[in-house]
Amino acid sequence: MEDPIRKIAITTGGGDAPGLNAVIRAAVITALNLEWEVCGIRRGYSGLLDEDTDGIERLDRRAVRGITHLGGTILGTTNRGNPFDWPVERPGGTVTSVDRSDELLANFRRHGLDALIAIGGDGSLYIANRLYQKGLPVVGVPKTIDNDLACTEVTFGFHTAVETATEALDKLHSTAESHERVFVVELMGRHTGWIALYAGISATADVILIPEIPFEIEKVCEKVEVRYASGARFAIIVAAEGAAPKGGAPVYREHAGPGRNARLGGIGEWIAREVAERTGHEVRSLILGHLQRGGQPTAYDRLLALRFGAAAARFVAEGRFGTMVALDSTGMRAVPLAEAISQIKRVPPAGEIVRTARDLRISFGD
Ligand code: F6P
């Protein structure tokens, strides 16, 4: 018989997303009902490595009271805390990385922890899977506003991000119309265009540009001209940050380095410049950025996050380690972490939602 669970830990890693606190609360309450002790690891996996600081805290009923509706994460997070690729500064200022995973495992055991609930996106769950392969009992929960994790119908945080983006696009409409301008709005979506697609259609954008459908700038300009010629003398172009022209590459602000992800950003500005030069219309661009990651989760995301958290604790109780909680039409199920991280969930270019957009005469610039 396997050892009974007595003490578990929870961690939140990668970019924050609305609903993280609701997952934590549901996992903690479900675990406490099972009479387990629960700890929170601060700042992703870093709390198990930076032990001189407040790396680990006890999560009791009081610690998770009144947090369901709050954005962010009470545990803090980082997207620079990969224990397998930990950045270290060498004399002279160069930064390299070292593998601190053995140290992490040793600290996990030293704290008497029996299992880990890892809430994260592709990066954090990739780390979770590697730790699982090294013997750490882990259950993952899919988090990302980008909605790009495979094996689950949806990730929590996505719905709230779409609401925020739609509201922003709605607000821009009045200025675009009053000034007869073209607005280019860059939304988050590193590899996929889920936010751009959902918010773009909901806010009746004229052009939606996503990484899954490489675009031609000429076609984007054509759509703008058709609109102006029809009497609607303004246009809204929505671009996912990872969108790229046919044969071109996404625009990066910062390239990846030891322990550090690449940062996308700037495609919107490029499109705006091109459209202004080619059409002569007045064009403005903006990047909605981290506003999409903040704020209170919508009721949909709260419920989803609470379901994910409770299911994660149940899966720990059932010993279903090395899995990720996933939503499908039947409810919550456990899918192997390895499967969930083996690919990303892209927008199907020939799918029904893209088709709906095309039926509504929204251009994808292709
Ligand atoms: O993964 C979510 C995400 O919102 C991406 O769309 C975006 O590229 C990234 O986070 C930005 O993260 P940060 O600025 O925190 O490094």
Side-chain angles (χ1 to χ4, degrees):
M1 217 179 95
E2 286 189 19
D3 277 349
I5 301 287
R6 286 183 217 90
K7 187 172 175 184
I8 67 162
I10 302 179
T11 174
T12 55
D16 66 339
L20 278 167
N21 286 323
V23 179
I24 295 170
R25 177 169 170 269
V28 169
I29 294 175
T30 308
L32 293 176
N33 287 339
L34 291 163
E35 297 183 359
W36 302 343
E37 194 181 319
V38 190
C39 292
I41 301 171
R42 294 196 52 80
R43 297 180 293 280
Y45 295 96
S46 317
L48 273 174
L49 295 169
D50 303 333
E51 294 228 75
D52 45 337
T53 58
D54 55 342
I56 294 207
E57 64 183 273
R58 191 165 174 168
L59 297 176
D60 56 13
R61 188 69 189 77
R62 184 193 287 264
V64 296
R65 193 159 284 153
I67 63 169
T68 303
H69 64 292
L70 300 180
T73 160
I74 58 164
L75 296 176
T77 188
T78 175
N79 40 21
R80 298 192 170 187
N82 183 349
F84 294 93
D85 186 25
W86 192 268
V88 244
E89 202 173 321
R90 302 280 178 215
T94 52
V95 181
T96 54
S97 64
V98 293
D99 181 351
R100 294 184 69 189
S101 57
D102 287 333
E103 207 182 319
L104 186 145
L105 254 85
N107 288 341
F108 187 83
R109 291 185 186 121
R110 195 168 48 75
H111 283 284
L113 294 164
D114 300 309
L116 174 71
I117 294 179
I119 314 168
D122 54 351
S124 309
L125 295 182
Y126 170 80
I127 298 167
N129 191 47
R130 286 190 69 182
L131 292 171
Y132 169 68
Q133 287 165 344
K134 292 189 82 160
L136 193 135
V138 58
V139 170
V141 174
K143 167 243 58 163
T144 166
I145 65 160
D146 291 357
N147 193 33
D148 59 0
L149 273 165
C151 301
T152 185
E153 234 162 65
V154 69
T155 54
F156 74 86
F158 170 63
H159 188 269
T160 308
V162 169
E163 282 291 328
T164 302
T166 304
E167 201 187 324
L169 292 170
D170 285 348
K171 285 186 173 157
L172 285 172
H173 253 95
S174 46
T175 308
E177 192 164 5
S178 307
H179 284 262
E180 300 191 341
R181 279 178 186 163
V182 178
F183 266 94
V184 184
V185 186
E186 183 176 311
L187 298 178
M188 278 188 171
R190 183 183 283 268
H191 308 293
T192 62
W194 293 105
I195 299 176
L197 181 68
Y198 277 49
I201 299 176
S202 305
T204 68
D206 306 293
V207 181
I208 298 175
L209 304 174
I210 59 176
E212 293 87 343
I213 307 178
F215 65 87
E216 289 172 48
I217 195 69
E218 299 79 11
K219 296 271 170 62
V220 174
C221 294
E222 258 169 46
K223 173 68 189 179
V224 170
E225 293 297 35
V226 166
R227 253 186 86 75
Y228 275 68
S230 74
R233 298 185 57 79
F234 71 98
I236 306 275
I237 300 172
V238 172
E241 61 186 350
K246 261 184 201 163
V251 181
Y252 285 94
R253 278 194 191 291
E254 210 178 287
H255 288 280
R260 178 161 59 79
N261 292 330
R263 279 181 62 213
L264 283 153
I267 188 69
E269 247 172 74
W270 181 82
I271 295 164
R273 234 183 359 257
E274 290 290 322
V275 173
E277 269 170 27
R278 289 165 188 257
T279 65
H281 297 305
E282 197 177 24
V283 186
R284 295 285 188 275
S285 74
L286 74 135
I287 300 179
L288 205 57
H290 296 85
L291 283 174
Q292 295 157 95
R293 294 224 305 245
Q296 297 195 332
T298 58
Y300 178 91
D301 270 338
R302 290 181 206 188
L303 175 60
L304 180 62
L306 292 168
R307 291 172 70 195
F308 274 140
R314 290 198 302 271
F315 291 167
V316 168
E318 291 162 12
R320 300 166 91 167
F321 299 120
T323 65
M324 179 190 86
V325 186
L327 177 77
D328 72 8
S329 53
T330 60
M332 294 296 167
R333 62 193 183 102
V335 298
L337 266 173
E339 200 182 315
I341 57 163
S342 65
Q343 51 177 320
I344 59 168
K345 183 179 67 193
R346 294 180 201 278
V347 171
E352 182 266 331
I353 302 182
V354 170
R355 185 140 183 224
T356 300
R358 293 194 194 275
D359 287 343
L360 294 168
R361 288 283 167 265
I362 295 174
S363 165
F364 286 87
D366 58 340

